[in-house]
């Protein structure tokens, strides 16, 4: 029999009453393939479809460098602890600006409304600004350019905005300070300065691993509204070859979907995008997860069209603006 409290939590969320942290802890007691989880996912989809007005989005992401990074996020192939490169030529670790612009224009021409420029925290910030400026000058005014880089200062946030960044991705990751060499306070400080600069945020609950502590997971889920994001989601742990993750392994896909659904219930309609599968990403450039995807023009165009079809098959209309 379906747990009555689960039904009440989900139904109240759809009616506008966000679950408490205790409610989230209760939802996380259930197996991701249980009838309770199925009910939560169904109600979260109903809520999420209202929030996004039935629109799904294909976004582009360009990894702009593979610089060995001292922040040592263990789940990243570019963490200094995950690479044997003790010295390097910076030019060899960056995607040429002309190539970055080429990818961005391809996305723009294909009707992709947002492109994320993903950099390591080690990349020189002034160099990153050059990349943002070059992309902004080459794509339509309507395209959202999302900065995805390391922690920054107030002045750097303002510089990003002036360079043409119109959104940013930032998250307090699960295991922050243990799986990474980053203090959580630094992540929150960056969120604050981005908001003060008037740069809209996207964030997520990530990376999720099998057997993760429910208390920590519930805290990260309940933190999401504090980011005041326009988009959010949940992301699985990717085990990069050679990385020491302390025995952690990726969670089941169904559990990640369940976490995303719970996050949607917590956010309600205040966050218009994400949390129910309404976003597909098409990647180019450097990949911190080493998935070995292609970056040829034909491949990217095929991936964009496939992503649009998948969204439509999942019941979404294709959104043309963020």
């Amino acid at each position: 029999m379906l747990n009555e409290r689960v039904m009440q939590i989900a139904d109240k969320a759809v009616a506008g009453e966000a679950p408490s942290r205790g409610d989230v802890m209760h939802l996380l007691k259930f197996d991701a393939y249980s009838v309770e989880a199925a009910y939560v996912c169904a109600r979260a989809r109903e809520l999420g479809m209202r929030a996004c007005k039935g629109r799904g989005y294909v976004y582009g992401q360009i990894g702009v460098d593979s610089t060995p990074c001292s922040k040592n996020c263990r789940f990243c192939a570019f963490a200094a602890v995950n690479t044997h490169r003790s010295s390097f030529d910076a030019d060899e670790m960056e995607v040429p600006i002309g190539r970055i612009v080429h990818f961005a224009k391809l996305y723009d021409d294909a009707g992709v409304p947002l492109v994320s420029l993903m950099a390591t925290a080690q990349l020189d910030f002034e160099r990153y600004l050059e990349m943002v400026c070059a992309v902004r000058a080459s794509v339509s005014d309507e395209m959202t350019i999302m900065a995805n880089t390391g922690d920054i200062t107030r002045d750097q946030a303002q510089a990003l905005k002036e360079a043409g960044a119109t959104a940013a991705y930032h998250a307090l990751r699960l295991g922050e300070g243990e799986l990474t060499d980053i203090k959580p306070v630094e992540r929150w400080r960056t969120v604050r300065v981005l908001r003060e600069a008037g740069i809209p945020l996207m964030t997520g609950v990530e990376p999720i691993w099998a057997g993760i502590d429910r208390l920590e997971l519930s805290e990260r889920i309940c933190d999401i509204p504090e980011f005041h994001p326009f988009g959010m989601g949940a992301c699985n742990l990717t085990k990069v070859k050679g990385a020491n993750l302390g025995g952690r392994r990726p969670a089941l896909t169904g559990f990640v979907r369940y976490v995303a659904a719970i996050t949607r219930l917590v956010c309600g309609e205040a966050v218009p995008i994400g949390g129910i599968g309404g976003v597909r990403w098409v990647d180019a450039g450097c990949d911190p997860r080493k998935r070995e995807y292609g970056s040829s023009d034909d491949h990217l165009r095929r991936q964009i069209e496939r992503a649009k079809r998948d969204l439509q098959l999942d019941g979404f209309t294709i959104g043309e603006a963020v």
Side-chain angles (χ1 to χ4, degrees):
M1 182 180 294
L2 183 61
N3 183 273
E4 185 175 350
R5 185 179 172 189
V6 169
M7 291 179 62
Q8 291 175 345
I9 292 169
D11 292 349
K12 286 181 179 180
V14 173
E17 183 179 332
S20 67
R21 186 160 296 180
D23 290 336
V24 172
M25 286 285 287
H26 183 72
L27 295 178
L28 289 171
K29 291 179 181 178
F30 295 91
D31 184 89
Y33 297 94
S34 64
V35 292
E36 284 79 10
Y39 188 82
V40 167
C41 289
R43 299 250 58 190
R45 179 177 171 87
E46 178 184 345
L47 180 57
M49 290 296 275
R50 275 206 326 249
C52 72
K53 297 180 173 58
R55 300 188 189 101
Y57 297 88
V58 178
Y59 293 154
Q61 180 155 266
I62 306 169
V64 300
D65 78 304
S66 59
T67 312
C69 183
S70 62
K71 298 302 180 182
N72 285 323
C73 303
R74 307 308 195 271
F75 40 81
C76 176
F78 307 143
V81 293
N82 290 338
T83 177
H84 300 296
R85 295 176 292 191
S86 58
S87 63
F88 57 91
D89 182 338
D91 290 339
E92 294 180 0
M93 303 299 165
E94 295 176 14
V95 178
I97 287 182
R99 188 67 173 153
I100 294 170
V101 167
H102 176 82
F103 289 141
K105 291 175 69 175
L106 185 151
Y107 288 133
D108 197 18
D109 291 343
V112 172
L114 177 151
V115 62
S116 170
L117 303 182
M118 179 175 56
T120 68
Q122 207 70 31
L123 181 67
D124 178 75
F125 186 75
E126 294 301 319
R127 182 65 169 168
Y128 186 70
L129 286 180
E130 290 178 25
M131 296 172 177
V132 174
C133 283
V135 171
R136 180 76 282 164
S138 304
V139 297
S140 60
D141 293 341
E142 294 76 21
M143 174 172 262
T144 297
I145 297 176
M146 189 164 74
N148 186 349
T149 186
D151 290 295
I152 57 174
T153 66
R154 181 174 285 102
D155 288 346
Q156 288 174 327
Q158 190 60 42
L160 274 176
K161 186 174 183 179
E162 292 171 0
T166 47
Y169 183 89
H170 211 67
L172 175 62
R173 278 81 59 89
L174 293 156
E176 200 80 80
E178 180 184 356
L179 273 178
T180 74
D181 290 348
I182 303 172
K183 296 178 181 178
V185 67
E186 295 176 2
R187 308 299 285 178
W188 280 117
R189 186 182 299 118
T190 296
V191 169
R192 185 174 65 252
V193 300
L194 287 166
R195 288 182 58 198
E196 289 173 353
I199 299 176
L201 278 163
M202 179 180 283
T203 191
V205 180
E206 50 117 345
I208 300 167
W209 58 85
I212 189 169
D213 179 71
R214 285 193 300 119
L215 178 59
E216 181 181 9
L217 181 55
S218 67
E219 289 174 346
R220 292 292 79 76
I221 292 171
C222 292
D223 281 342
I224 296 298
E226 296 185 38
F227 284 69
H228 299 279
F230 70 89
M232 54 80 183
C235 183
N236 207 350
L237 175 72
T238 300
K239 189 167 184 178
V240 176
K241 185 178 180 180
N244 180 5
L245 297 172
R248 295 173 181 83
R249 54 187 174 81
L252 293 174
T253 301
F255 183 67
V256 178
R257 292 196 185 112
Y258 186 41
V259 170
I262 295 171
T263 307
R264 169 49 70 189
L265 294 186
V266 169
C267 291
E269 292 187 57
V271 182
I273 297 172
I276 55 164
V279 174
R280 299 289 190 278
W281 291 90
V282 176
D283 297 91
C286 302
D287 178 21
R289 296 180 181 89
K290 291 295 184 182
R291 290 165 292 186
E292 299 182 358
Y293 49 65
S295 286
S296 72
D297 290 5
D298 287 344
H299 173 79
L300 292 174
R301 291 191 186 100
R302 285 195 301 270
Q303 291 299 103
I304 291 167
E305 291 308 310
R306 178 180 298 173
K308 290 179 180 179
R309 288 196 301 272
D310 288 347
L311 285 168
Q312 290 169 331
L313 287 171
D314 202 22
F316 295 92
T317 58
I318 304 302
E320 297 180 352
V322 178

